[in-house]
Amino acid sequence: MSAHPFSVNAVRQQFIDFFVEKHAHRFVPSSPVVPHNDPTLLFTNAGMNQFKPIFLGQVEPGSDFVGLKRAANSQKCIRAGGKHNDLEDVGRDTYHHTFFEMLGNWSFGDYFKAEAIEWAWELLTKVWKLDPERLYASYFKGNKEMGLDPDREAFDLWKRYLPESRILPFGMKDNFWEMGETGPCGPCSEIHYDGRSDEERRRDPGYRYVNADDPRVIEIWNLVFIQFNRTETALRPLPAKHVDTGMGLERITRVLQGAQSNYDTDAFTPLFDAAQRVTGAPKYEGSLEGARDIAYRVVADHIRTLTFALTDGAVPSNEGRGYVLRRILRRAVVQGTQHLGAKPGFLASLVPTVVEHMGHAFPELKKNPDRVASLIREEEESFGRTLDRGIAMFNDAATRAGGSKRVSAGDAFMLHDTYGFPIDLTQVMARERGMSVDTEGYEKLMEEARERSRAGGKAEGVKEIALSGEETAKLAHLRVKPTDDSFKYEIKPLRATVRAIWNGEDFDEDIVASGTSLEDRFGIVLDKTNFYAESGGQVGDHGEIRKPGSPNTRFDVDETRAFGGYVLHIGRLHGGQIKVGDTVELTVDEDRRLPTMANHTATHLLNLALRRVVGDEVDQKGSLVAPDRLRFDFSCAHALTEEQVERVEEIVREQIVRDLKVHTGVAPLADAKTIRGLRAVFGEKYPDPVRVVSIGASMIDLLSEPENPRWQELSIEFCGGSHLAHTGQARAFAVLSEEAVAKGVRRVIGVTGVEAEAAIEAGHRVVERANAAMKVGEATLAEEVAELQGQLEALSLPYVLRRRAQHAIAQAQDRLKSVRKKEAAAGREGAVDAARALAQSEDGPVIVGLIPAGSDREALLAAMDAVRSKRPEAAVLLVSADDAEGKVSIVAQVPETLVKRGLKAGDWVREASAAVGGKGGGRPDAAQGGGTDPSKSLDAVANARTFAASKVS
């Protein structure tokens, strides 16, 4: 396929050469798919994104875009979130993708519709020699409500090449292009290709299939004529007219190769071949219905998206674009595992194929493909630990749905909460079986979970499950021995025996499955457990308990607590029955436990770093170790400086980079207390023997040389929590906040792993942009400052980087104040000059005029003073309009002699304000008013003159 004259690489180059060499366009490399400098976009979703400053007339001096009139390129695009989201369609048809290339040519105030249409026709029919009889064009038919006329110009231009029967009108949805809720926009003209057979075309005219979602008649090129900028309130003309065209590379390659699907071209076939080699699945056959071929398409599309997004700086995470990428990755993993028989790591192994076939066009792919593959592999491994159980759980849910063919809300929630299946992935799996999902009930359970989180773990209506001293004594009376929790540091599954079941009121012999509401919770006591019960600041484990031989019986643990030596596994039963005496298998949720371990180990390193930086006054006052964050309270009489917080971070990161071994062991309490540098929580009672966690030195070394001064440089603590094997597994560390919680007590909140990496990366981007704000042009400074403040509020950033960004933003705000002060002074000067000229030009007893004061009422009042100083005997009414803010201001003053003749300022202003959709009033001698329709400002002036004339001859 690569030797085809219209291979995907050849088509890309032919397009660029046509516009660059023949029509004098400049080649502008593709911008990243991660728009670091545009917070309004989740991903780059169109070729014009990087040219937005040109369309808005906001190009900075010194920019590469200064003087740019014509451009062409192939832009990397991702549409997987927000307004432009094709994720749900990928794999199910022949032409939708989350990642695609957009071939584009642009005119910035240079050529317009005639040239754009002429050159499009030339490339398609003369260079690529497409059959003109198969081409259709569309144009914008107008929108009366918005005051937009039909685009007759485009229609007339197309008549040079096509009969009227193949030039079709469409409305806003199809033929008015908008980048987003706000921004550049305008009417567009699409070119469609009829790929049906000659016989079908003779029998049935193609116009019926244009914009009808028929895979045989598809849009191949969109010519956008950008004329407007959409604000939140209106469409406003741009300073100049522009052309922005976009043609999907994958679609036009399909047409030129005579293929029936984008996926039948060499844009995807190398990935199918690679996936087939890795998985050993039967080869791709192109079926739209077969689950295996759908999986091939999903995997091939998604690995392209992931490779480009991660190369351009994004990382999978739990929020924003990172969450979208995690969903995409998990969707690919599920499809590959279920339908291609793929093993863990298969997705990462496809990265080299993407790099090999696309790296020459996008050299950035070759810079560090190992990092990209490593990030994908880690995500695969993390998800893979629960994937099989999640799929089994979905199968159980599908069976339970029975004839309703509707996966319950509880099952959908558990797939998300326990197994990491996003709701849209559950919907995809359900759809493959001809089923639906109770998404409304799922959202309700999600909100209940959020409420529990906000309320510290319990939402209103949640049944509290706990054991009192009397109840634990009853367990002993029933001859139930305390739980053996010696397995709690292990993650591998464990078999145990049910010893007691607590329903919140009494011990039951058996429990029968009920619903999944918050009231259906109960607790199970086992003879042994591998679940970590909440203690020492570390949250309890989640997971599941199943009965071997009874696949429909599953107890989901959402809380693990210890009472008097008994570990209570609290949760809800989904199917089947559990009785005292049953043998069960326990599986800990690794996706929760592993990041918790990382945060616990990092807490110890943080304690060490604080002692080094702040001094011996640091004493632990409390902590929380959770999967998503760590919290550490310590004694300190003063706030930490930025430099101190930065040094604390550096020390923790140094320990992580060194990949130190984390040693745990048990020692006699008296012996352990002799170890130099050992830290313990003041007032805490420790068992004898006691568990010691040491980072960088073994228990043998510590106990053989307890007075060794080197131990003071290490983290050594009494601790019963779970930890990493090596510090390097934490990957990264960031302090998110440092604050006071009580007199003499400070609190640090931090994160590790992917969350820390994402926070650090976002922090550097915001700081860089904030520093650059001092060089932003005065016209866009206010917008830039507002966007930066929005980023500070929306993003999770490291404390130090946040402070640096705040400092830089404060400097930009000071500059903005100076700019506004200068603008206000200039505005007042201009208003006063205009007022003086008005005073000289009017010689009657009444002076009415339009003053250029914008929305600056002080400037308008200064203008009034200027007129009155020249003409104290005259009645004066001044109007000022601000188009940008949609605001009109009106002021009036009337001398006593004219008030007596019937001209009262309050009535006068009220009459003028009515013309601009507002109101006003005041004293007879002075009044103010205004409105919200600047376009009627001259009407307000006319009303004022007419009213005054009726009172004063």
Side-chain angles (χ1 to χ4, degrees), residues 905-922:
D907 297 338
W908 200 15
V909 166
R910 191 175 300 111
E911 187 70 20
S913 298
V916 289
K919 56 186 178 180

Side-chain angles (χ1 to χ4, degrees), residues 549-581:
S550 179
N552 291 331
T553 300
R554 188 189 82 250
F555 181 81
D556 293 316
V557 179
D558 59 32
E559 192 177 359
T560 307
R561 301 174 65 187
F563 302 92
Y566 297 97
V567 175
L568 199 61
H569 306 77
I570 303 166
R572 288 173 288 182
L573 185 64
H574 295 265
Q577 187 180 62
I578 290 181
K579 303 189 302 295
V580 172

Side-chain angles (χ1 to χ4, degrees), residues 388-416 419 421 423 426-427 429-430 433 435-438 516 544 546 551-554 556 574-576:
D388 290 341
R389 296 198 301 277
I391 292 174
M393 190 271 180
F394 176 82
N395 291 335
D396 292 346
T399 301
R400 282 193 294 276
S404 72
K405 293 209 171 275
R406 186 175 177 85
V407 176
S408 73
D411 285 330
F413 175 78
M414 195 54 57
L415 278 164
H416 164 81
Y419 302 107
F421 280 48
I423 184 63
T426 302
Q427 289 176 295
M429 296 172 68
R433 293 192 176 204
M435 302 177 68
S436 61
V437 180
D438 180 5
T516 57
E544 66 179 24
R546 286 183 174 271
N552 291 331
T553 300
R554 188 189 82 250
D556 293 316
H574 295 265

Side-chain angles (χ1 to χ4, degrees), residues 921-951:
R923 303 191 312 270
D925 63 327
Q928 297 184 14
T932 58
D933 190 350
S935 68
K936 300 291 181 59
S937 298
L938 292 177
D939 294 344
V941 170
N943 278 17
R945 284 181 174 147
T946 301
F947 182 83
S950 70
K951 303 295 182 181

Side-chain angles (χ1 to χ4, degrees), residues 22 51 59 63 108 121 187 250 260 309 338 350 381 400 416 431 466 550 596 621 675 721 759 829 849 874 897 934:
K22 188 169 184 179
F51 300 119
V59 177
S63 166
F108 307 112
W121 186 260
E250 294 80 4
Q260 296 302 307
Q338 282 196 297
L350 299 180
E381 291 173 353
R400 282 193 294 276
H416 164 81
R431 188 165 54 238
S550 179
T596 302
K621 294 298 182 183
I675 299 172
E829 220 174 282
T897 55

Side-chain angles (χ1 to χ4, degrees), residues 467-482 499-500 507 525 563-564 566:
L467 294 176
S468 65
E470 181 181 347
E471 287 150 359
T472 54
K474 186 173 183 180
L475 278 173
H477 179 71
L478 294 172
R479 299 185 179 180
V480 177
K481 295 181 179 179
R499 293 303 185 201
F507 293 101
V525 178
F563 302 92
Y566 297 97

Side-chain angles (χ1 to χ4, degrees), residues 30 318 356 448 812:
S30 169
N318 286 328
E356 177 187 354
E448 289 171 349

